[in-house]
Amino acid sequence: MATSTTFGIEGADGIEPTYCCDGNVVYVLYVLDDYREISRPPRKMISAVAHEILESLVAMIAGGSDGRVFKDQDGRPWGEIAGASLAVSISHSRNVIAVVLATQADLGVGIDVEYIDPRRPVAEMAVQIGMPSSAEIGDFYDGWCRYEALFKATGIVDPEQQGRLVEFMEIDLQMPAGFAGKLVVGRG
């Protein structure tokens, strides 16, 4: 775990876990206020903060029992509490970090947050995920976040196959102005 003194996470304002899906999922949206003036904080630093938040969530859910964070052979992070592997997902864009942890071993979770950048080639990217090239920017980012969150939860790249996943519930995240976000939860 990154030391709390490095990034000031321990006890920091803004780390308020939100429970959803009957308490089977817990997530945190965290905004690095110290970096409002710069458009892109260093990626390595943002990633370290995200992993520290994940470790804090696992420790909180473990409640003093054995809880740890590890990565599988593909580099995907997982939580483990009392021997049960729990799905997790991490996303960050600019100064916004999102981390989600399933509290049941049979749940899959995925989360994605994106800065709404009007300079992105939205028409081209929309077509890649099965949306019309004429999609409005807000609709595009909603679709893009859904696509990315489902990919993280399932490993399925094909948007058509993702579209057949009826067992996954979508949750719109309350994001800061200028950002979009989506959380998906389903039985793995």
Side-chain angles (χ1 to χ4, degrees), residues 98-131:
V99 177
V100 63
L101 169 69
T103 62
Q104 288 188 356
D106 63 340
L107 284 179
V109 295
I111 199 164
D112 190 57
V113 297
E114 296 288 335
Y115 170 71
I116 299 172
D117 187 347
R119 297 172 297 165
R120 278 181 119 169
V122 169
E124 295 168 28
M125 293 173 72
V127 171
Q128 292 174 7
I129 60 170
M131 295 179 73

Side-chain angles (χ1 to χ4, degrees), residues 69-82:
V69 175
F70 64 95
K71 290 186 179 182
D72 66 15
Q73 66 272 12
D74 297 322
R76 290 182 61 189
W78 288 86
E80 185 179 273
I81 297 174

Side-chain angles (χ1 to χ4, degrees), residues 2 6-7 9 30-36 38-54 90-99 113 179:
T6 306
F7 302 111
I9 294 303
Y30 185 75
V31 178
L32 287 166
D33 289 330
D34 295 347
Y35 291 89
R36 271 186 244 186
I38 61 174
S39 62
R40 295 180 188 240
R43 188 167 180 81
K44 186 174 182 179
M45 186 270 299
I46 291 287
S47 183
V49 171
H51 284 276
E52 188 168 348
I53 292 170
L54 172 59
I90 295 173
S91 183
H92 45 83
S93 182
R94 303 218 173 183
N95 65 326
V96 175
I97 300 168
V99 177
V113 297
F179 289 85

Side-chain angles (χ1 to χ4, degrees), residues 1 3 18-19 39 79 86 97 137 171:
M1 178 158 114
T3 60
T18 300
Y19 290 86
S39 62
L86 303 173
I97 300 168
I137 195 163
I171 299 164

Side-chain angles (χ1 to χ4, degrees), residues 101-168:
L101 169 69
T103 62
Q104 288 188 356
D106 63 340
L107 284 179
V109 295
I111 199 164
D112 190 57
V113 297
E114 296 288 335
Y115 170 71
I116 299 172
D117 187 347
R119 297 172 297 165
R120 278 181 119 169
V122 169
E124 295 168 28
M125 293 173 72
V127 171
Q128 292 174 7
I129 60 170
M131 295 179 73
S133 62
S134 60
E136 296 288 328
I137 195 163
D139 293 336
F140 163 74
Y141 276 101
D142 185 58
W144 186 264
C145 288
R146 179 185 319 104
Y147 171 80
E148 287 288 320
L150 280 168
F151 168 69
K152 291 175 183 180
T154 65
I156 297 173
V157 177
D158 182 358
E160 284 186 37
Q161 285 182 335
Q162 283 186 354
R164 294 186 210 118
L165 296 172
V166 295
E167 70 274 12
F168 274 82

